[in-house]
Amino acid sequence: MRHGRKFNHLGRTADHRRAMLANMAISLIMHKRITTTLAKAKALKKYVEPLITRSKDDSTNSRRVVFSYLQNKEALKELFGPVAQKVGDRPGGYTRIIKLGFRQGDAAEKAFIELVDFDENMLKSPKAEKKTRRSRKSATKAEAPVAEAPAETPVEEAPAAEAAAEEAKAE
């Protein structure tokens, strides 16, 4: 029975799970986005978000605590450097999980987990409205007559005025 099991053990021993999550956290910090299974991504989110929160306070104690989890100096420099600067004003929610579908071999649900402030595609484009067929049809029908009527009127007046001016000069 699962009495008292509050988190996903991922079918591994405690030491194996701790090492796997530490390796995945290092990869996430260094590469800013990794692809894995959905269950591992959710477990990694719970593992890495407190470390990112701790990195906002750059003190010796914070560095030692985070190093005890990661055991990687390069990842520690990256976390307390550029990552901490970008998430400095964010109150939480440093990672995003996006589902990718199912893996071909064993039908495991795939997802990628990324650091929110490092996704250039999401930062560049403003929130795009969801387009559906219905909204496109109604938008084109509603906008088409309004856009055509004012556009035609000045175009017709301009050639007529020019022609009248040319006739006056000729006479």
Side-chain angles (χ1 to χ4, degrees):
M1 285 191 251
R2 287 186 43 90
H3 296 304
R5 289 190 170 200
K6 300 290 184 188
F7 62 95
N8 192 349
H9 291 253
L10 301 172
R12 287 164 172 80
T13 62
D15 290 336
H16 185 187
R17 187 172 52 251
R18 193 174 303 119
M20 181 192 67
L21 289 173
N23 287 333
M24 290 174 65
I26 291 166
S27 297
L28 178 65
I29 291 166
M30 297 304 287
H31 300 291
K32 311 303 187 264
R33 174 189 288 181
I34 59 172
T35 303
T36 183
T37 62
L38 184 62
K40 288 180 187 175
K42 288 179 178 179
L44 179 60
K45 184 172 187 156
K46 287 184 178 182
Y47 185 86
V48 79
E49 291 217 358
L51 300 180
I52 296 172
T53 302
R54 175 121 5 214
S55 74
K56 291 162 71 172
D57 173 35
D58 191 5
S59 65
T60 305
N61 185 51
S62 295
R63 285 181 175 265
R64 286 179 177 170
V65 169
V66 172
F67 185 76
S68 71
Y69 284 92
L70 296 181
Q71 297 291 318
N72 188 309
K73 289 181 182 179
E74 289 78 24
L76 196 71
K77 288 177 190 174
E78 185 76 17
L79 180 62
F80 280 88
V83 175
Q85 288 174 356
K86 284 218 176 183
V87 301
D89 57 340
R90 183 178 287 274
Y94 311 112
T95 57
R96 174 188 302 127
I97 297 175
I98 298 177
K99 296 179 183 179
L100 297 176
F102 296 94
R103 190 161 49 198
Q104 184 73 28
D106 60 354
E109 194 167 5
K110 298 288 288 183
F112 68 74
I113 181 169
E114 64 183 357
L115 296 176
V116 172
D117 292 321
F118 287 90
D119 187 14
E120 294 84 18
N121 297 332
M122 297 293 260
L123 293 175
K124 287 181 185 176
S125 65
K127 290 188 177 181
E129 295 180 18
K130 189 174 183 180
K131 294 183 179 180
T132 61
R133 290 185 183 191
R134 188 170 297 192
S135 65
R136 275 189 258 147
K137 284 183 180 178
S138 63
T140 55
K141 287 181 183 177
E143 293 174 6
V146 175
E148 290 176 9
E152 290 178 6
T153 308
V155 173
E156 291 176 354
E157 291 176 359
E162 290 176 12
E166 289 177 15
E167 288 177 19
K169 288 181 183 178
E171 293 178 10

